[in-house]
Amino acid sequence: MLQLTDRLNRIKPSPSSMAGQRVRELRAAGRDVIGLTAGEPDFETPLPIREAAWQAMTAGKTRYTDVGGTVELREAVARKFSRENGLDYAANEIIVSTGAKQVIFNAILCTVQQGDEVIVPAPYWVSYPDIVLLAGGVPVFVASKPEHGFKLMPEDLERAITPRTRWLILNSPNNPSGAAYTRDELAALAEVLARHPHVWVMTDDIYEHLTYDNASFVTLAQAAPALKDRTLTINGVSKAYAMTGWRIGYAGGPAALIKAMVKLQSQSTSGANAIAQAAAVAALEGPQDFIAANKAVYQARRDAVVAALRKIDGITCDPPAGAFYVFASCEGLMGRRTPDGRMLRTGDDWVGWLLESQNLAVLQGSAYGVDSHFRLSFATSMAQLAEGMRRIEAAAHALIR
Ligand code: PLP
């Protein structure tokens, strides 16, 4: 009999990856399913980036690279951090991995021992807790309130820190809530962290280029330079450059941590895909104008979705400051019944009802640590979104008080 490890049994499959797969299966079975679950841009990777990959292949850049990333890409990343974030990282303070997900995985596996704690503000990206669990660590969830814009409050951070805390994971703009921290808010968190020098911070900045209403993005090491020597600044090309399938993520951080992460990577995946690394150089160094163009498209979709949801009795939401998700409350629908008499008690029931009655797939808030909410992605066409909103309205309308 196949024996699986305790390590594996501690984790669950990624709910967002599974939801995407389920939508594809239902469609293949002939159901007219609309999926608003995607955590990826619906745009194609810009042509100059694809051309750079082609050129890299024809130039023979098809071999193993340095484990921590090609010199060209690490230099491009260093220039990016300096140009966009005012952060100086040397080549040995940068790692390139197979997606930001592997960066996080490397960092946690290198530093978290059995019983060590990692503070994960909720709502959180689905993978943080499971990566911590895999390492034998304990994710310590800190709830945030919708009235605080789903942001971690300094006093709540203070309360969550113990002698066993190794990391705080900050994700801004946030998946799923879209919350984006201002410079002052980061400085207030930094004040708490200054009192606890044993706590390191991972900032997941993957949605950096997706902020709305002209909000400007700030990362922690920029807002609080004193924390730079215990901060891992994580980013990647997946979301900003519509490159999710290329699998390139990167981070800047203290040389000793980067060295440890490269050591781990050398015994797992080695360097990231050589062709994708060349394409990532073209992404970071090439024309950036499509980022603003895409952002304008996302913002129009966001506004349309928020306006439509706000008209539905029982659903409430705020416009997200960043990323491409709306995280809406379905609390007002709880206690209502389906036409055949089943009472909705949880957000999961509502999400199940949407799929069952309207063939609409969204993600349950419980996957992100907030049961009363559901997440829908607006990284899809206006036509799909309009039909999606019509279905949500119909599903809510069919419920009996
Ligand atoms: N971090 C967050 C918050 C995400 O939402 C995602 C993808 O959904 C990732 C990291 C993973 O990024 P990558 O494609 O670079 O692995």
Side-chain angles (χ1 to χ4, degrees):
M1 201 180 85
L2 175 66
Q3 291 266 341
L4 298 174
T5 59
D6 292 347
R7 184 184 315 121
L8 186 82
N9 288 333
R10 280 198 290 269
I11 66 169
K12 57 186 179 321
S14 157
S16 41
S17 307
M18 290 301 113
Q21 200 169 312
R22 180 105 184 95
V23 168
R24 286 187 289 277
E25 282 165 10
L26 289 172
R27 279 196 194 128
R31 270 174 71 176
D32 164 33
V33 176
I34 292 198
L36 301 182
T37 58
E40 63 180 345
D42 55 320
F43 301 110
E44 188 51 85
T45 306
L47 190 58
I49 301 175
R50 284 182 275 151
E51 282 172 348
W54 181 252
Q55 277 160 18
M57 273 190 281
T58 49
K61 291 187 183 170
T62 54
R63 297 171 188 277
Y64 291 131
T65 70
D66 284 356
V67 171
T70 62
V71 173
E72 292 82 0
L73 181 50
R74 279 182 289 139
E75 284 176 351
V77 168
R79 282 192 289 274
K80 177 262 179 271
F81 277 134
S82 158
R83 183 178 67 238
E84 296 183 347
N85 310 113
L87 293 174
D88 286 326
Y89 288 112
N92 66 344
E93 295 176 313
I94 288 170
I95 184 171
V96 173
S97 299
T98 301
K101 196 178 220 169
Q102 193 190 15
V103 172
I104 299 163
F105 193 92
N106 283 338
I108 295 285
L109 250 70
C110 286
T111 56
V112 172
Q113 311 249 48
Q114 198 67 33
D116 284 347
E117 296 171 4
V118 176
I119 297 178
V120 181
Y124 45 76
W125 181 45
V126 294
S127 292
Y128 303 140
D130 290 78
I131 296 175
V132 171
L133 289 169
L134 195 72
V138 181
V140 175
F141 301 116
V142 182
S144 58
K145 297 197 177 79
E147 54 270 34
H148 292 152
F150 277 126
K151 290 177 190 172
L152 175 64
M153 293 289 108
E155 57 276 19
D156 293 334
L157 171 61
E158 180 81 63
R159 261 195 299 274
I161 295 173
T162 76
R164 297 232 50 183
T165 308
R166 297 303 312 267
W167 291 95
L168 160 68
I169 304 184
L170 264 189
N171 171 217
S172 170
N174 178 271
N175 173 7
S177 73
Y181 289 77
T182 63
R183 190 179 284 272
D184 288 350
E185 288 163 346
L186 291 174
L189 294 175
E191 246 182 73
V192 174
L193 293 161
R195 292 194 284 276
H196 302 279
H198 68 291
V199 179
W200 285 50
V201 192
M202 231 178 256
T203 67
D204 180 345
D205 300 345
I206 197 96
Y207 294 101
E208 163 175 15
H209 287 296
L210 291 165
T211 54
Y212 306 114
D213 305 322
N214 299 319
S216 58
F217 169 85
V218 195
T219 190
L220 182 75
Q222 191 180 13
L227 292 181
K228 183 166 175 264
D229 60 5
R230 50 183 164 119
T231 297
L232 185 66
T233 305
I234 302 168
N235 213 318
V237 295
S238 284
K239 317 286 175 173
Y241 300 95
M243 291 178 71
T244 47
W246 300 73
R247 311 304 306 125
I248 297 292
Y250 56 82
L257 173 63
I258 298 293
K259 189 175 166 197
M261 291 163 65
V262 170
K263 177 178 168 187
L264 178 64
Q265 192 165 297
S266 79
Q267 292 293 16
S268 54
T269 53
S270 305
N273 178 299
I275 300 153
Q277 289 193 61
V281 173
L284 295 176
E285 307 264 88
Q288 305 288 310
D289 42 333
F290 64 88
I291 292 182
N294 289 359
K295 204 158 99 160
V297 173
Y298 285 129
Q299 181 153 338
R301 293 169 175 176
R302 175 198 74 155
D303 293 344
V305 167
V306 169
L309 286 177
R310 282 180 160 175
K311 288 195 190 125
I312 303 174
D313 173 42
I315 294 179
T316 54
C317 67
D318 288 321
F324 38 58
Y325 311 102
V326 173
F327 199 50
S329 167
C330 49
E331 223 166 357
L333 298 173
M334 295 304 108
R336 297 189 194 177
R337 289 178 189 275
T338 61
D340 61 1
R342 286 168 292 154
M343 188 191 277
L344 300 194
R345 295 174 200 279
T346 64
D348 289 31
D349 293 344
W350 161 242
V351 168
W353 173 240
L354 276 176
L355 188 61
E356 178 191 323
S357 67
Q358 293 292 329
N359 281 327
L360 182 74
V362 298
L363 278 153
Q364 64 282 11
S366 58
Y368 303 89
V370 183
D371 294 355
S372 55
H373 281 57
F374 63 106
R375 186 196 86 165
L376 56 86
S377 161
F378 54 85
T380 189
S381 69
M382 262 313 188
Q384 286 271 306
L385 290 171
E387 175 58 14
M389 295 310 109
R390 193 197 64 71
R391 293 186 188 195
I392 293 179
E393 214 282 319
H397 194 72
L399 295 171
I400 300 156
R401 282 167 191 269

